[in-house]
Amino acid sequence: MPAAKALRDRPYMSTPLRIAVLASGRGSNFAALLAARERGELPVEFVLVASDKADAPVLQLAQGAGVPTTVLDPREYADRRAYDFALFDRIGASKPDLLVLAGFMRIIDGDALKPWAGRMINIHPSLLPKYRGLHTHRRALKAGDLEHGASVHFVTAELDGGPIIAQTTLPIEAGDDETTLATRLLPLEHQLLTAVVALLAANRLALVEQGIVFDHQPLRKPLRCVDGQLVR
Ligand code: GRF
């Protein structure tokens, strides 16, 4: 078994975890990370926010916080593969330890993301493995689920299919529609993502061939996020 690939070797107090965020839209998850950092709860440094959309509000958010931004327009590249290699080249130049996909609405080429295995996470608004892809709230409602939620997972070539680190759940209530469900879930997503990034910043999570290692023990099922705290 290969050794767990820690995100970094040195203790976090002296070296904040360097994070690049990829996002296509609003950026409320990034805002939650920024706010946690401001409160002194996340020992991280945001080295870049990258987007595929020049008008994504997340870019203004980043600029307002003094975080460098970059935009790559997919229309300027021959195909997805060319785009993704260019994107990750540019991201790599900012030397991040961790890549956080926070509402990045593109499928990524498997070869392009390979060098980032174990160093890239995504937040997805469903209880994976249920409802990979789009329209997760609609699909949970249509299926008559009693419970919905969000997951943070390591990114692999399989869309929304990488090893799941942690999940948050919420009950689906009578009368819920896509909007009410999404609105109630969003603050829970923010807590979930922040809590997982905090674990990574503290070097308590690693991805090895067999799966996720948490505090030196194999993680057999996703951590649960309860009131912002991750529990086994
Ligand atoms: C979130 O629901 C996230 O789970 C999904 O896209 C949405 C992004 O929201 N992947 P925001 O841009 O972070 O506000």
Side-chain angles (χ1 to χ4, degrees):
M1 167 169 147
K5 195 161 72 182
L7 284 178
R8 62 216 175 140
D9 311 324
R10 283 171 294 165
Y12 68 82
M13 291 310 284
S14 56
T15 56
L17 189 73
R18 294 170 63 83
I19 295 182
V21 172
L22 283 80
S24 302
R26 175 179 56 183
S28 70
N29 278 285
F30 170 58
L33 294 177
L34 270 178
R37 184 184 178 280
E38 285 305 300
R39 292 194 302 270
E41 293 168 11
L42 269 190
V44 303
E45 181 184 351
F46 296 101
V47 294
L48 186 69
V49 169
S51 186
D52 55 325
K53 300 251 190 293
D55 58 353
V58 70
L59 295 168
Q60 272 111 60
L61 214 58
Q63 283 150 13
V67 177
T69 60
T70 189
V71 178
L72 266 79
D73 184 344
R75 291 168 300 191
E76 289 171 12
Y77 294 83
D79 52 27
R80 190 169 78 202
R81 194 178 162 82
Y83 177 83
D84 289 347
F85 273 95
L87 177 68
F88 286 107
D89 252 18
R90 196 174 291 183
I91 291 169
S94 63
K95 303 212 179 312
D97 301 307
L98 175 71
L99 269 50
V100 176
L101 308 190
F104 187 62
M105 302 307 285
R106 289 178 55 83
I107 294 172
I108 302 170
D109 180 90
D111 288 333
L113 59 79
K114 220 173 258 167
W116 298 97
R119 294 193 290 152
M120 191 187 320
I121 60 171
N122 178 44
I123 180 151
H124 181 74
S126 82
L127 292 174
L128 291 170
K130 279 184 161 185
Y131 316 129
R132 295 175 183 182
L134 299 174
H135 309 305
T136 55
H137 311 310
R138 188 185 308 172
R139 288 154 70 197
L141 288 165
K142 192 162 175 227
D145 291 355
L146 299 176
E147 194 176 62
H148 189 44
S151 309
V152 172
H153 63 94
F154 282 110
V155 176
T156 62
E158 199 181 340
L159 176 68
D160 299 326
I164 303 165
I165 301 167
Q167 294 183 314
T168 186
T169 57
L170 86 169
I172 294 183
E173 289 167 6
D176 259 336
D177 57 25
E178 278 183 63
T179 308
T180 58
L181 203 49
T183 305
R184 287 212 315 287
L185 181 58
L186 197 61
L188 301 179
E189 286 187 41
H190 298 161
Q191 290 182 343
L192 174 70
L193 183 62
T194 305
V196 170
V197 170
L199 281 191
L200 287 158
N203 240 354
R204 294 176 61 191
L205 278 172
L207 184 65
V208 298
E209 224 168 88
Q210 290 81 352
I212 296 171
V213 177
F214 170 52
D215 282 348
H216 310 290
Q217 303 288 328
L219 186 65
R220 306 216 181 278
K221 54 182 191 173
L223 299 167
R224 289 175 302 121
C225 190
V226 181
D227 296 330
Q229 304 299 316
L230 292 176
V231 291
R232 270 200 195 256

